[in-house]
Amino acid sequence: MLSTMQDVPLLISRILAHGSTIHGDSQVTTWTGEAEPHRRSFAEIGVRAARLAHALRDALGVQQDERVATLMWNNSEHVEAYFAIPSMGAVLHTLNLRLPAEQLVFIVNHAADRVVLVNGTLLPLLAPLLPHLPTVEHVVVVGVGDRSALEGLDVRVHEYEELLEGRPGHYDWPELDERQAAAMCYTSGTTGEPKGVVYSHRSVYLHSMQVNMTESMGLTDHDTSLIVVPQFHVNAWGLPHATFMTGINMLMPDRFLQPAPLAEMIEREKPTHAAAVPTIWQGLLAEVTANPRDLTSMKHVTIGGAACPPSLMEAYDKLGVRLCHAWGMTETSPLGTMAHPPAGLTAEEEWPYRITQGRFPAGVEARLIGPAGDVLPWDGESAGELEVRGNWIAAAYYGGASGEPLRPEDKFSADGWLKTGDVGVISADGFLTLTDRAKDVIKSGGEWISSVELENALMAHPEVAEAAVVAVPDEKWGERPLATVVLKEGATADFAGLRAFLAQSIAKWQLPERWTIVETVPKTSVGKFDKKVIRKQYADGDLDVTTLA
Ligand code: AMP
């Protein structure tokens, strides 16, 4: 028997309509680097999104399902694109502006983007690529920046504001199939070619509701969220969509992502929430330690994308800012877990929960798969690869314009679960603790050593700014850990001392023999430790390694 309920498609245009009317006074504030930031209300964004959709359809001829790319910072125009492009039935393709040129070329060609919206300040990045992007017919330039890089190129160039001018502020958004493609995002491609995840209207809608749950980010129109996580990194973790559901004000840093302007933004605009990867919070901590600022408006901060060292959480606790750990992936939209401790605990009792990756919300099912392919118990001890499934989790990758969706065996199980490549344990009450990426685990004499555990312990040392641990080949043990350490300013290297410090919390057989000091840990395009670069530096003999007896 079927239900008697209405079946209204879950569409992004509905989120836009809701946010721009019911929460029309909420604001997107974009940092400009000048005395005053730029402010635009949700109501204005609704009107401008309609104008953009008219422009894309009527002036540029964008049809349903065609890909419209953005190469943009976090700002209000990017929010307009987030809503206009999928709502009109086209597909928003956010481009990661930190990727190497050849990967960007691959991605744009693979997605067959027809239009690119680009911030003027990013033209020096886009212009040299354009001769290699045969599908791109139109470039729409947004905001300040020198246009000269585009001169002489075989592409039609438009000014964003001119394109919008005079167009109707209302659009009859089509009643699409909710399973239709709304947005796409390519994974950073640490191995092999980047792979495209295609989100549907339905998955975005449901994920946004999840972001807004109290046990998730739980924000309202009383809040302002500083969205540092780039809009090209898994839809800024779903925040731009979620904000239009509940009226959360957005504070957008545009290109001002350095610690000093971020600290100034927080002190002046007083966001109550923020979201970014650990590297950003490490940088900000160093900044406010040197030049104190009041960060206490931020009631809580969502930190994820890479493991958050407990020492970082402690440091922010002392500043009156609570970091809340989250785990997710491009393939999971991204929110997969969030670490809110259960009710009724003291601060001390909460701590072991806070340093996990968090609990699975309704909508994300999880299982751990052991080395023999068996499903492991949730006992907080049995370690295996995490697999997940749910309404906002990818079932395949984009196969290109004419190809079938791709379901590589190492990413999707035969029964349809996503293989995350993350290794960890789950407690009986559903808290996930990740010990490593499967490919980063150090396999020493048949036993596994967690690189993340060693890194967290090292980063708790008062003289260590950052530390990354990777597996390196070892004749006797197969693999052993190599510790690469970034010291705080003025500190001197004492490897024996660091090892003795580790020995307080780590088993003796896991302690690294090989040590090296580096100026910075290499980072990926979204600010995570890039361990394959470290492994290569070691293999090429580029690191000055000390081996302790
Ligand atoms: P991406 O798709 O580029 O966002 O990368 C997803 C991967 O980042 C995950 O599979 C994890 O390996 C890693 N990751 C994300 N959040 C966390 C976290 N809180 N702790 C540890 N690793 C994380």
Side-chain angles (χ1 to χ4, degrees):
M1 173 171 124
L2 287 179
S3 78
T4 63
M5 304 312 286
Q6 297 184 11
D7 193 6
V8 178
L10 305 175
L11 298 180
I12 291 178
S13 55
R14 295 211 151 83
I15 305 179
L16 173 65
H18 176 83
S20 57
T21 52
I22 305 260
H23 295 293
D25 291 338
S26 292
Q27 284 200 332
V28 181
T29 302
T30 306
W31 207 247
T32 56
E34 289 160 17
E36 263 306 298
H38 175 268
R39 299 182 203 276
R40 194 164 274 155
S41 71
F42 282 17
E44 287 172 293
I45 288 193
V47 168
R48 287 169 57 88
R51 291 194 175 131
L52 173 59
H54 280 289
L56 290 174
R57 187 188 66 186
D58 302 337
L60 275 55
V62 171
Q63 308 278 321
Q64 177 155 325
D65 286 346
E66 281 187 340
R67 271 73 65 202
V68 177
T70 55
L71 187 66
M72 296 176 73
W73 305 105
N74 289 14
N75 49 45
S76 58
E77 290 82 7
H78 207 170
V79 176
E80 288 158 15
Y82 254 52
F83 285 106
I85 294 165
S87 295
M88 67 186 285
V91 183
L92 168 77
H93 179 196
T94 49
L95 298 174
N96 179 340
L97 54 92
R98 296 197 205 288
L99 284 185
E102 64 278 7
Q103 280 196 29
L104 271 177
V105 168
F106 172 87
I107 287 171
V108 174
N109 288 333
H110 191 259
D113 297 328
R114 243 193 92 206
V115 179
V116 182
L117 268 58
V118 56
N119 272 130
T121 48
L122 293 169
L123 282 174
L125 181 64
L126 179 68
L129 309 185
L130 283 169
H132 309 285
L133 307 176
T135 61
V136 175
E137 292 169 32
H138 300 273
V139 171
V140 181
V141 189
V142 188
V144 295
D146 181 4
R147 271 59 171 161
S148 61
L150 288 173
E151 276 164 23
L153 290 175
D154 182 22
V155 68
R156 289 185 55 195
V157 178
H158 312 262
E159 286 290 333
Y160 186 80
E161 293 302 331
E162 285 172 17
L163 207 55
L164 264 58
E165 209 171 284
R167 297 193 190 270
H170 173 83
Y171 193 104
D172 281 328
W173 304 114
E175 197 70 8
L176 306 166
D177 182 330
E178 65 181 19
R179 293 162 303 173
Q180 195 174 311
M184 64 196 304
C185 191
Y186 280 72
T187 59
S188 353
T190 36
T191 50
E193 276 160 353
K195 298 179 197 73
V197 175
V198 185
Y199 309 103
S200 65
H201 284 259
R202 175 183 164 82
S203 72
V204 168
Y205 199 107
L206 292 172
H207 180 262
S208 308
M209 294 189 84
Q210 138 67 11
V211 168
N212 281 323
M213 279 167 71
T214 318
E215 63 157 11
S216 181
M217 298 194 202
L219 304 171
T220 69
D221 61 352
H222 296 238
D223 288 294
T224 298
S225 178
L226 169 60
I227 306 177
V228 186
V229 53
Q231 286 186 255
F232 59 73
H233 188 202
V234 214
N235 299 324
W237 299 352
L239 275 161
H241 299 118
T243 54
F244 265 64
M245 278 191 168
T246 50
I248 307 156
N249 300 282
M250 289 182 244
L251 175 57
M252 298 301 219
D254 199 80
R255 61 195 183 281
F256 304 97
L257 294 166
Q258 308 72 21
L262 285 178
E264 188 187 346
M265 254 171 250
I266 296 166
E267 197 171 62
R268 276 178 48 190
E269 292 293 321
K270 305 203 179 333
T272 55
H273 172 260
V277 293
T279 325
I280 294 283
W281 301 113
Q282 293 275 17
L284 188 70
L285 180 64
E287 167 66 27
V288 298
T289 307
N291 306 300
R293 295 269 192 179
D294 179 11
L295 307 181
T296 53
S297 65
M298 291 193 293
K299 289 198 294 279
H300 79 258
V301 161
T302 305
I303 183 165
C308 172
S311 52
L312 190 65
M313 234 176 244
E314 258 168 345
Y316 274 91
D317 275 356
K318 289 192 186 119
L319 294 174
V321 176
R322 187 174 169 108
L323 302 187
C324 186
H325 204 186
W327 166 86
M329 306 170 68
T330 306
E331 290 87 338
T332 65
S333 291
L335 234 104
T337 61
M338 248 184 117
H340 292 293
L345 302 182
T346 63
E348 208 177 315
E349 289 164 340
E350 282 189 338
W351 183 250
Y353 290 100
R354 290 182 58 199
I355 60 175
T356 69
Q357 267 68 20
R359 252 198 298 207
F360 299 97
V364 179
E365 290 172 59
R367 68 183 184 192
L368 289 175
I369 303 294
D374 46 331
V375 177
L376 301 176
W378 290 15
D379 57 10
E381 280 174 14
S382 307
E385 182 181 355
L386 174 68
E387 295 191 356
V388 288
R389 73 171 174 194
N391 300 110
W392 51 86
I393 293 173
Y397 294 115
Y398 182 55
S402 51
E404 286 291 304
L406 309 171
R407 289 187 186 82
E409 267 176 27
D410 62 329
K411 296 300 291 186
F412 299 97
S413 72
D415 57 349
W417 292 60
L418 173 74
K419 299 180 177 179
T420 65
D422 289 322
V423 173
V425 300
I426 302 177
S427 62
D429 50 356
F431 280 85
L432 168 74
T433 300
L434 290 184
T435 46
D436 246 317
R437 290 290 290 165
K439 61 181 185 303
D440 291 335
V441 169
I442 303 153
K443 292 169 190 135
S444 172
E447 299 287 337
W448 286 9
I449 300 176
S450 158
S451 64
V452 174
E453 198 182 340
L454 287 171
E455 287 160 6
N456 284 345
L458 268 173
M459 286 192 269
H461 190 281
E463 301 214 312
V464 174
E466 265 185 340
V469 177
V470 298
V472 295
D474 182 272
E475 255 180 36
K476 186 167 173 200
W477 299 106
E479 286 179 355
R480 290 294 298 160
L482 161 75
T484 62
V485 177
V486 182
L487 292 174
K488 286 194 181 150
E489 231 176 276
T492 46
D494 168 15
F495 294 137
L498 287 176
R499 191 158 74 159
F501 178 78
L502 283 188
Q504 294 171 15
S505 57
I506 305 276
K508 190 161 175 282
W509 66 272
Q510 301 187 348
L511 299 176
E513 299 77 27
R514 296 171 180 83
W515 294 78
T516 184
I517 298 292
V518 288
E519 255 174 47
T520 52
V521 174
K523 308 273 175 9
T524 68
S525 60
V526 287
K528 308 178 189 198
F529 289 176
D530 200 341
K531 296 196 180 177
K532 72 176 182 320
V533 172
I534 305 174
R535 285 193 284 261
K536 184 165 186 313
Q537 287 171 340
Y538 180 81
D540 293 349
D542 292 344
L543 297 175
D544 182 11
V545 176
T546 301
T547 306
L548 299 181

